[in-house]
Amino acid sequence: MLTPDTKANLSDRLFFDLDFSTGAVAAVSGGSDSTALLLLLKDHIDRTEPAARLLAVTVDHGLRPDSADEARLVAHFCAQRGIAHRILAWHGDKPATGLPAAAREARYRLLAEAADAEGIKLILTGHTADDQAETVLMRQARDDEGRGLAGMAPATLHDWRTWIVRPLLVTRRAALRDMLRHRDIGWIEDPTNVDVRFERPRMRAALAQGESERRTAEALARSAQAARERHDIGRRAAMLIDAFASRPVPGLIRLDCDFAGHGDGQAAIYALRILLATVGGMSFLADEARCAALLARLRSAPLCATLSRTVVDARRSGIFLRRENRNLPDPAPPVDNQLWDNRRRVTLGGRITLKDRSGGLVIAPLGAAAAGRAPPIEEIPPSLSRAALAAEPSLWSGGEQLDFAGGNAGRQPVSIVPAVAPFARFLPSFDVEPAAAVAALVGAPPLPAPPFRGQDGGRGWAKA
């Protein structure tokens, strides 16, 4: 039986190192895990930081007839306990395929919008050790033997500005439900959790058929080991990026020739995968086997190849990476927090009237003609710098170029800054070190301060 002391110990263990200085948003669906999260979090804040703001948010995905009623039940539950609560709805058409992933993306977007509206930098979700084990087993079933086996990260940076923390990843669902029963608190059972049309319920049902505890324990141990390995190779890759990579002009990365022959080949491949994805504007890292083959070729001869929308041009003066000049975005008006080509983040600093100038404001690639007028860069072949600049975004109005190459728009209330493409939307804490190294390389904004106390947001941090 849980006593008040053990409840306090549990909440302290879960939240003791979190920074609540800006407050916290708790994602609450009404299920057992998120309900337990909310109550434990409120216990902790009331006892240790009573001035900290706590906002519970329920996302109504609109996928079931009862979802709106369930959201109102959560609102009533919160009102009874003096917890501020907000219901956010996922509007618009729902995809016919990939629904769980689309719902997850919408949920995090809405949670981040709610946090941003309140100036809160911390979101907490109720993912448990059981969820982690299911995630690892699902990825293993897909023959994922690599970085994905680390599972869900304890913390993830969303849109490079809001931390999503999963403090219950070390806690089993049964323990949370025992706590709720002891406090005579019920929860909502979501029927989609047992709908075997979806992958996670199928895995949950398979686990329940036998040896669940053994398989869960093995999956959690595998996750912990993979997380350590992922953090370690990320640390080594970051060191190589710091040592061998430079940015002569926007859109062009130069690697010293010695990079290809570095003794830590595993880290070199990982660094190359991240750099190719960043330069090419890809959300996923370049294929590991193809990167390994490319690195081997770079050791022996000059070459020009394309991988992950990135042109790799190896010369005596270095290995150059630039975005290929195909399939670039069409001219379009700037949109706040837009990821242009997944390589640049667009931010609107004020009201824009698109008819202020003839033709309105649009973002479009600089193009070869304008790139050709850029001054030459010492020791960089002009053809390389021009090709790289031509694929960079520029702000235009009525055919007049206002700025170019990922800078800001001067007097215009628009900024276009580099983004680290594979981590621009979601940066797991496993990957903080290489992401920070690439951000410094390409001129992206530095990482926000981490959500854990005693950390300075610098390169050495990862909670794995």
Side-chain angles (χ1 to χ4, degrees):
M1 177 178 291
L2 293 175
T3 67
D5 286 340
T6 57
K7 284 191 298 182
N9 290 340
L10 177 60
S11 64
D12 285 345
R13 177 170 60 84
L14 294 172
F15 308 118
F16 79 95
D17 60 346
L18 285 176
D19 180 4
F20 293 107
S21 59
T22 66
V25 165
V28 185
S29 66
S32 61
D33 304 344
S34 63
T35 301
L37 169 73
L38 179 63
L39 293 175
L40 289 167
L41 181 58
K42 188 174 190 308
D43 289 345
H44 179 77
I45 288 178
D46 285 350
R47 188 173 59 256
T48 64
E49 301 190 53
R53 291 179 297 162
L54 172 59
L55 172 65
V57 173
T58 301
V59 175
D60 178 6
H61 296 90
L63 300 175
R64 295 183 292 106
D66 297 332
S67 63
D69 290 338
E70 291 169 357
R72 285 191 287 270
L73 286 174
V74 177
H76 179 67
F77 178 87
C78 291
Q80 288 180 314
R81 289 157 178 80
I83 301 171
H85 179 264
R86 184 177 301 170
I87 298 173
L88 300 177
W90 180 25
H91 297 295
D93 295 334
K94 309 301 189 290
T97 60
L99 183 58
R104 183 169 55 250
E105 177 81 23
R107 181 166 60 253
Y108 284 134
R109 174 179 56 80
L110 290 168
L111 289 168
E113 288 175 0
D116 191 53
E118 299 292 332
I120 294 173
K121 302 300 182 184
L122 178 63
I123 298 170
L124 286 83
T125 68
H127 295 101
T128 67
D130 300 79
D131 295 314
Q132 183 74 301
E134 293 161 6
T135 298
V136 173
L137 290 170
M138 287 189 297
R139 292 178 180 177
Q140 189 175 24
R142 300 178 207 142
D143 295 325
D144 185 343
E145 294 296 336
R147 59 200 300 272
L149 291 186
M152 292 179 283
T156 298
L157 185 62
H158 180 265
D159 260 355
W160 210 257
R161 61 184 180 184
T162 307
W163 286 103
I164 301 167
V165 177
R166 305 176 180 92
L168 303 185
L169 281 183
V170 296
T171 307
R172 296 296 301 274
R173 178 171 294 121
L176 298 172
R177 291 187 170 186
D178 283 346
M179 182 206 70
L180 293 176
R181 293 187 187 101
H182 178 71
R183 297 172 69 161
D184 197 24
I185 294 172
W187 58 85
I188 298 168
E189 292 286 2
D190 184 346
T192 60
N193 287 334
V194 293
D195 188 342
V196 294
R197 290 178 300 170
F198 302 114
E199 183 182 24
R200 187 174 293 275
R202 289 198 300 271
M203 179 56 69
R204 193 167 294 168
L207 270 174
Q209 291 177 2
E211 297 189 311
S212 172
E213 292 303 310
R214 178 187 63 80
R215 293 185 66 194
T216 296
E218 290 176 353
L220 293 175
R222 190 176 303 115
S223 170
Q225 178 62 29
R228 288 190 291 269
E229 293 172 355
R230 184 162 160 182
H231 174 245
D232 180 62
I233 192 173
R235 175 187 57 79
R236 289 150 44 205
M239 293 173 62
L240 295 184
I241 292 168
D242 284 341
F244 291 100
S246 60
R247 185 187 65 151
V249 297
L252 184 66
I253 299 299
R254 178 187 178 277
L255 293 168
D256 293 347
C257 291
D258 290 343
F259 171 85
H262 192 273
D264 191 350
Q266 185 185 36
I269 293 170
Y270 195 55
L272 184 59
R273 295 176 68 195
I274 295 171
L275 290 171
L276 288 172
T278 300
V279 173
M282 302 297 290
S283 298
F284 300 98
L285 301 191
D287 180 76
E288 183 173 10
R290 295 182 69 184
C291 275
L294 175 61
L295 192 66
R297 292 178 62 195
L298 289 170
R299 296 187 190 111
S300 58
L303 65 86
C304 188
T306 301
L307 181 57
S308 290
R309 303 199 312 184
T310 297
V311 176
V312 182
D313 193 332
R315 308 185 179 200
R316 285 194 300 269
S317 55
I319 302 166
F320 296 91
L321 312 179
R322 63 171 177 85
R323 170 72 162 91
E324 65 175 334
N325 291 101
R326 295 191 306 159
N327 301 318
L328 291 165
D330 293 328
V335 177
D336 191 39
N337 203 35
Q338 169 193 13
L339 281 174
W340 186 91
D341 199 37
N342 211 36
R343 296 184 293 131
R344 299 289 184 271
R345 192 179 298 276
V346 178
T347 304
L348 307 185
R351 180 183 175 88
I352 292 180
T353 302
L354 296 182
K355 295 183 179 179
D356 283 348
R357 290 172 176 261
S358 175
L361 293 175
V362 297
I363 298 177
L366 182 64
R373 295 192 292 270
I377 305 298
E378 187 177 353
E379 298 182 355
I380 302 299
S383 60
L384 278 176
S385 60
R386 288 196 297 265
L389 289 174
E392 289 297 278
S394 179
L395 190 66
W396 301 78
S397 178
E400 177 187 354
Q401 177 196 329
L402 304 181
D403 85 322
F404 78 100
N408 62 54
R411 291 179 300 229
Q412 299 296 333
V414 179
S415 68
I416 310 170
V417 299
V420 184
F423 308 123
R425 286 297 187 201
F426 294 98
L427 168 58
S429 55
F430 310 130
D431 304 315
V432 161
E433 294 187 65
V438 176
L441 172 67
V442 301
L447 291 171
F452 301 101
R453 298 184 191 278
Q455 307 291 345
D456 61 2
R459 190 78 53 74
W461 173 80
K463 183 181 174 68

